[in-house]
mmCIF file of all heavy atoms in Angstrom:
data_model
loop_
_atom_site.group_PDB
_atom_site.id
_atom_site.type_symbol
_atom_site.label_atom_id
_atom_site.label_comp_id
_atom_site.label_asym_id
_atom_site.label_seq_id
_atom_site.Cartn_x
_atom_site.Cartn_y
_atom_site.Cartn_z
ATOM 1 N N ASP V 1 -3.348 10.685 -2.505
ATOM 2 C CA ASP V 1 -2.905 12.075 -2.618
ATOM 3 C C ASP V 1 -1.433 12.081 -3.029
ATOM 4 O O ASP V 1 -0.555 11.687 -2.266
ATOM 5 C CB ASP V 1 -3.096 12.776 -1.268
ATOM 6 C CG ASP V 1 -2.822 14.276 -1.340
ATOM 7 O OD1 ASP V 1 -2.161 14.717 -2.305
ATOM 8 O OD2 ASP V 1 -3.250 14.999 -0.413
ATOM 9 N N HIS V 2 -1.168 12.572 -4.235
ATOM 10 C CA HIS V 2 0.206 12.554 -4.762
ATOM 11 C C HIS V 2 1.150 13.482 -3.996
ATOM 12 O O HIS V 2 2.375 13.372 -4.133
ATOM 13 C CB HIS V 2 0.214 12.912 -6.247
ATOM 14 C CG HIS V 2 -0.397 11.852 -7.114
ATOM 15 N ND1 HIS V 2 0.105 10.563 -7.170
ATOM 16 C CD2 HIS V 2 -1.485 11.869 -7.933
ATOM 17 C CE1 HIS V 2 -0.631 9.842 -7.995
ATOM 18 N NE2 HIS V 2 -1.606 10.608 -8.471
ATOM 19 N N ALA V 3 0.596 14.368 -3.175
ATOM 20 C CA ALA V 3 1.451 15.227 -2.358
ATOM 21 C C ALA V 3 2.245 14.414 -1.337
ATOM 22 O O ALA V 3 3.252 14.896 -0.803
ATOM 23 C CB ALA V 3 0.608 16.285 -1.648
ATOM 24 N N TYR V 4 1.801 13.174 -1.089
ATOM 25 C CA TYR V 4 2.464 12.321 -0.097
ATOM 26 C C TYR V 4 3.235 11.175 -0.749
ATOM 27 O O TYR V 4 3.574 10.197 -0.092
ATOM 28 C CB TYR V 4 1.434 11.770 0.889
ATOM 29 C CG TYR V 4 0.841 12.848 1.766
ATOM 30 C CD1 TYR V 4 -0.273 13.567 1.336
ATOM 31 C CD2 TYR V 4 1.414 13.164 2.995
ATOM 32 C CE1 TYR V 4 -0.808 14.573 2.128
ATOM 33 C CE2 TYR V 4 0.887 14.165 3.790
ATOM 34 C CZ TYR V 4 -0.222 14.866 3.346
ATOM 35 O OH TYR V 4 -0.752 15.875 4.123
ATOM 36 N N ASP V 5 3.542 11.316 -2.033
ATOM 37 C CA ASP V 5 4.228 10.240 -2.749
ATOM 38 C C ASP V 5 5.596 9.906 -2.150
ATOM 39 O O ASP V 5 6.086 8.779 -2.314
ATOM 40 C CB ASP V 5 4.401 10.607 -4.228
ATOM 41 C CG ASP V 5 3.112 10.453 -5.017
ATOM 42 O OD1 ASP V 5 2.133 9.940 -4.445
ATOM 43 O OD2 ASP V 5 3.083 10.861 -6.195
ATOM 44 N N HIS V 6 6.229 10.853 -1.479
ATOM 45 C CA HIS V 6 7.574 10.616 -0.945
ATOM 46 C C HIS V 6 7.563 10.424 0.576
ATOM 47 O O HIS V 6 8.627 10.349 1.192
ATOM 48 C CB HIS V 6 8.506 11.772 -1.327
ATOM 49 C CG HIS V 6 8.634 11.958 -2.811
ATOM 50 N ND1 HIS V 6 9.294 11.051 -3.619
ATOM 51 C CD2 HIS V 6 8.160 12.925 -3.643
ATOM 52 C CE1 HIS V 6 9.235 11.453 -4.881
ATOM 53 N NE2 HIS V 6 8.552 12.585 -4.927
ATOM 54 N N ASP V 7 6.376 10.322 1.158
ATOM 55 C CA ASP V 7 6.262 10.083 2.592
ATOM 56 C C ASP V 7 6.395 8.587 2.858
ATOM 57 O O ASP V 7 5.661 7.772 2.288
ATOM 58 C CB ASP V 7 4.905 10.594 3.098
ATOM 59 C CG ASP V 7 4.684 10.268 4.558
ATOM 60 O OD1 ASP V 7 5.332 10.906 5.400
ATOM 61 O OD2 ASP V 7 3.864 9.371 4.859
ATOM 62 N N HIS V 8 7.321 8.198 3.730
ATOM 63 C CA HIS V 8 7.635 6.783 3.915
ATOM 64 C C HIS V 8 6.466 5.996 4.504
ATOM 65 O O HIS V 8 6.244 4.836 4.143
ATOM 66 C CB HIS V 8 8.875 6.628 4.797
ATOM 67 C CG HIS V 8 10.132 7.132 4.155
ATOM 68 N ND1 HIS V 8 10.566 6.702 2.913
ATOM 69 C CD2 HIS V 8 11.049 8.048 4.570
ATOM 70 C CE1 HIS V 8 11.686 7.303 2.591
ATOM 71 N NE2 HIS V 8 12.006 8.134 3.585
ATOM 72 N N GLN V 9 5.724 6.604 5.418
ATOM 73 C CA GLN V 9 4.595 5.883 6.008
ATOM 74 C C GLN V 9 3.471 5.694 4.982
ATOM 75 O O GLN V 9 2.856 4.625 4.913
ATOM 76 C CB GLN V 9 4.093 6.611 7.246
ATOM 77 C CG GLN V 9 5.127 6.642 8.365
ATOM 78 C CD GLN V 9 4.532 6.994 9.703
ATOM 79 O OE1 GLN V 9 3.956 6.160 10.378
ATOM 80 N NE2 GLN V 9 4.664 8.250 10.076
ATOM 81 N N THR V 10 3.216 6.730 4.202
ATOM 82 C CA THR V 10 2.222 6.601 3.135
ATOM 83 C C THR V 10 2.641 5.522 2.140
ATOM 84 O O THR V 10 1.822 4.699 1.713
ATOM 85 C CB THR V 10 2.031 7.941 2.400
ATOM 86 O OG1 THR V 10 1.604 8.939 3.347
ATOM 87 C CG2 THR V 10 0.984 7.822 1.304
ATOM 88 N N GLN V 11 3.928 5.509 1.784
ATOM 89 C CA GLN V 11 4.434 4.480 0.881
ATOM 90 C C GLN V 11 4.217 3.088 1.468
ATOM 91 O O GLN V 11 3.853 2.143 0.753
ATOM 92 C CB GLN V 11 5.918 4.708 0.612
ATOM 93 C CG GLN V 11 6.221 5.935 -0.236
ATOM 94 C CD GLN V 11 7.716 6.205 -0.349
ATOM 95 O OE1 GLN V 11 8.531 5.566 0.313
ATOM 96 N NE2 GLN V 11 8.067 7.169 -1.190
ATOM 97 N N GLY V 12 4.422 2.958 2.787
ATOM 98 C CA GLY V 12 4.240 1.663 3.434
ATOM 99 C C GLY V 12 2.801 1.195 3.404
ATOM 100 O O GLY V 12 2.529 0.013 3.153
ATOM 101 N N VAL V 13 1.873 2.116 3.633
ATOM 102 C CA VAL V 13 0.453 1.758 3.600
ATOM 103 C C VAL V 13 0.030 1.402 2.178
ATOM 104 O O VAL V 13 -0.685 0.406 1.951
ATOM 105 C CB VAL V 13 -0.421 2.901 4.156
ATOM 106 C CG1 VAL V 13 -1.902 2.565 3.997
ATOM 107 C CG2 VAL V 13 -0.099 3.155 5.623
ATOM 108 N N ARG V 14 0.469 2.173 1.199
ATOM 109 C CA ARG V 14 0.138 1.863 -0.199
ATOM 110 C C ARG V 14 0.698 0.497 -0.599
ATOM 111 O O ARG V 14 0.018 -0.297 -1.266
ATOM 112 C CB ARG V 14 0.712 2.937 -1.123
ATOM 113 C CG ARG V 14 0.009 4.291 -1.071
ATOM 114 C CD ARG V 14 0.760 5.275 -1.947
ATOM 115 N NE ARG V 14 0.149 6.590 -1.971
ATOM 116 C CZ ARG V 14 0.721 7.663 -2.517
ATOM 117 N NH1 ARG V 14 1.918 7.548 -3.083
ATOM 118 N NH2 ARG V 14 0.105 8.827 -2.503
ATOM 119 N N ARG V 15 1.930 0.243 -0.203
ATOM 120 C CA ARG V 15 2.566 -1.035 -0.542
ATOM 121 C C ARG V 15 1.781 -2.194 0.071
ATOM 122 O O ARG V 15 1.553 -3.223 -0.573
ATOM 123 C CB ARG V 15 4.015 -1.030 -0.032
ATOM 124 C CG ARG V 15 4.852 -2.229 -0.475
ATOM 125 C CD ARG V 15 6.341 -1.947 -0.259
ATOM 126 N NE ARG V 15 6.679 -1.792 1.141
ATOM 127 C CZ ARG V 15 7.183 -2.750 1.916
ATOM 128 N NH1 ARG V 15 7.402 -3.967 1.410
ATOM 129 N NH2 ARG V 15 7.485 -2.522 3.169
ATOM 130 N N PHE V 16 1.343 -2.006 1.309
ATOM 131 C CA PHE V 16 0.536 -3.028 1.966
ATOM 132 C C PHE V 16 -0.789 -3.237 1.242
ATOM 133 O O PHE V 16 -1.195 -4.373 0.970
ATOM 134 C CB PHE V 16 0.282 -2.649 3.428
ATOM 135 C CG PHE V 16 -0.794 -3.474 4.063
ATOM 136 C CD1 PHE V 16 -0.541 -4.771 4.484
ATOM 137 C CD2 PHE V 16 -2.082 -2.970 4.211
ATOM 138 C CE1 PHE V 16 -1.546 -5.548 5.049
ATOM 139 C CE2 PHE V 16 -3.089 -3.733 4.770
ATOM 140 C CZ PHE V 16 -2.816 -5.028 5.187
ATOM 141 N N ASN V 17 -1.494 -2.150 0.954
ATOM 142 C CA ASN V 17 -2.795 -2.266 0.291
ATOM 143 C C ASN V 17 -2.677 -2.977 -1.053
ATOM 144 O O ASN V 17 -3.508 -3.835 -1.394
ATOM 145 C CB ASN V 17 -3.420 -0.882 0.095
ATOM 146 C CG ASN V 17 -3.901 -0.269 1.399
ATOM 147 O OD1 ASN V 17 -4.145 -0.969 2.383
ATOM 148 N ND2 ASN V 17 -4.046 1.049 1.403
ATOM 149 N N ASP V 18 -1.642 -2.642 -1.820
ATOM 150 C CA ASP V 18 -1.428 -3.300 -3.117
ATOM 151 C C ASP V 18 -1.098 -4.785 -2.911
ATOM 152 O O ASP V 18 -1.570 -5.650 -3.661
ATOM 153 C CB ASP V 18 -0.294 -2.616 -3.877
ATOM 154 C CG ASP V 18 -0.657 -1.216 -4.354
ATOM 155 O OD1 ASP V 18 -1.864 -0.884 -4.375
ATOM 156 O OD2 ASP V 18 0.273 -0.448 -4.681
ATOM 157 N N HIS V 19 -0.293 -5.063 -1.904
ATOM 158 C CA HIS V 19 0.124 -6.442 -1.623
ATOM 159 C C HIS V 19 -1.083 -7.310 -1.286
ATOM 160 O O HIS V 19 -1.240 -8.416 -1.824
ATOM 161 C CB HIS V 19 1.126 -6.424 -0.470
ATOM 162 C CG HIS V 19 1.667 -7.763 -0.089
ATOM 163 N ND1 HIS V 19 2.648 -8.419 -0.818
ATOM 164 C CD2 HIS V 19 1.369 -8.593 0.948
ATOM 165 C CE1 HIS V 19 2.924 -9.581 -0.247
ATOM 166 N NE2 HIS V 19 2.166 -9.710 0.829
ATOM 167 N N VAL V 20 -1.942 -6.817 -0.408
ATOM 168 C CA VAL V 20 -3.105 -7.601 0.022
ATOM 169 C C VAL V 20 -4.135 -7.715 -1.101
ATOM 170 O O VAL V 20 -4.763 -8.768 -1.277
ATOM 171 C CB VAL V 20 -3.737 -6.980 1.285
ATOM 172 C CG1 VAL V 20 -5.040 -7.697 1.647
ATOM 173 C CG2 VAL V 20 -2.757 -7.059 2.448
ATOM 174 N N ALA V 21 -4.294 -6.652 -1.873
ATOM 175 C CA ALA V 21 -5.257 -6.687 -2.982
ATOM 176 C C ALA V 21 -4.920 -7.804 -3.970
ATOM 177 O O ALA V 21 -5.825 -8.398 -4.571
ATOM 178 C CB ALA V 21 -5.280 -5.342 -3.693
ATOM 179 N N GLN V 22 -3.635 -8.105 -4.114
ATOM 180 C CA GLN V 22 -3.197 -9.124 -5.064
ATOM 181 C C GLN V 22 -2.991 -10.501 -4.423
ATOM 182 O O GLN V 22 -2.615 -11.447 -5.108
ATOM 183 C CB GLN V 22 -1.880 -8.663 -5.707
ATOM 184 C CG GLN V 22 -2.020 -7.376 -6.510
ATOM 185 C CD GLN V 22 -0.676 -6.756 -6.872
ATOM 186 O OE1 GLN V 22 0.366 -7.387 -6.725
ATOM 187 N NE2 GLN V 22 -0.706 -5.506 -7.319
ATOM 188 N N ASP V 23 -3.261 -10.600 -3.118
ATOM 189 C CA ASP V 23 -3.022 -11.848 -2.391
ATOM 190 C C ASP V 23 -4.219 -12.782 -2.546
ATOM 191 O O ASP V 23 -5.272 -12.563 -1.926
ATOM 192 C CB ASP V 23 -2.759 -11.541 -0.913
ATOM 193 C CG ASP V 23 -2.246 -12.756 -0.150
ATOM 194 O OD1 ASP V 23 -2.313 -13.882 -0.690
ATOM 195 O OD2 ASP V 23 -1.779 -12.582 0.990
ATOM 196 N N THR V 24 -4.059 -13.821 -3.339
ATOM 197 C CA THR V 24 -5.167 -14.746 -3.611
ATOM 198 C C THR V 24 -5.403 -15.746 -2.479
ATOM 199 O O THR V 24 -6.356 -16.519 -2.525
ATOM 200 C CB THR V 24 -4.905 -15.518 -4.915
ATOM 201 O OG1 THR V 24 -3.661 -16.244 -4.794
ATOM 202 C CG2 THR V 24 -4.821 -14.565 -6.098
ATOM 203 N N ARG V 25 -4.553 -15.715 -1.457
ATOM 204 C CA ARG V 25 -4.734 -16.617 -0.318
ATOM 205 C C ARG V 25 -5.888 -16.180 0.575
ATOM 206 O O ARG V 25 -6.411 -16.982 1.347
ATOM 207 C CB ARG V 25 -3.453 -16.681 0.524
ATOM 208 C CG ARG V 25 -2.241 -17.249 -0.195
ATOM 209 C CD ARG V 25 -0.983 -17.039 0.636
ATOM 210 N NE ARG V 25 -0.656 -15.618 0.786
ATOM 211 C CZ ARG V 25 0.377 -15.155 1.505
ATOM 212 N NH1 ARG V 25 1.167 -16.007 2.147
ATOM 213 N NH2 ARG V 25 0.618 -13.849 1.578
ATOM 214 N N VAL V 26 -6.265 -14.905 0.473
ATOM 215 C CA VAL V 26 -7.206 -14.344 1.446
ATOM 216 C C VAL V 26 -8.355 -13.604 0.764
ATOM 217 O O VAL V 26 -8.270 -13.206 -0.398
ATOM 218 C CB VAL V 26 -6.478 -13.369 2.403
ATOM 219 C CG1 VAL V 26 -5.405 -14.088 3.206
ATOM 220 C CG2 VAL V 26 -5.872 -12.186 1.645
ATOM 221 N N GLU V 27 -9.421 -13.407 1.540
ATOM 222 C CA GLU V 27 -10.522 -12.516 1.172
ATOM 223 C C GLU V 27 -10.307 -11.209 1.926
ATOM 224 O O GLU V 27 -9.852 -11.220 3.076
ATOM 225 C CB GLU V 27 -11.864 -13.132 1.562
ATOM 226 C CG GLU V 27 -12.103 -14.503 0.951
ATOM 227 C CD GLU V 27 -13.266 -15.236 1.577
ATOM 228 O OE1 GLU V 27 -13.612 -14.933 2.745
ATOM 229 O OE2 GLU V 27 -13.818 -16.134 0.914
ATOM 230 N N LYS V 28 -10.642 -10.085 1.301
ATOM 231 C CA LYS V 28 -10.356 -8.825 1.954
ATOM 232 C C LYS V 28 -11.348 -7.730 1.560
ATOM 233 O O LYS V 28 -11.922 -7.758 0.468
ATOM 234 C CB LYS V 28 -8.934 -8.362 1.660
ATOM 235 C CG LYS V 28 -8.691 -7.764 0.263
ATOM 236 C CD LYS V 28 -8.681 -8.763 -0.872
ATOM 237 C CE LYS V 28 -7.501 -9.700 -0.848
ATOM 238 N NZ LYS V 28 -7.448 -10.579 -2.050
#
């Protein structure tokens, strides 16, 4: 939801999801 683009907690969750999605060390 782009309405939450500037919400710090939403940014943190998105950053985490992107980080793990690209992490080849793990299955997820």
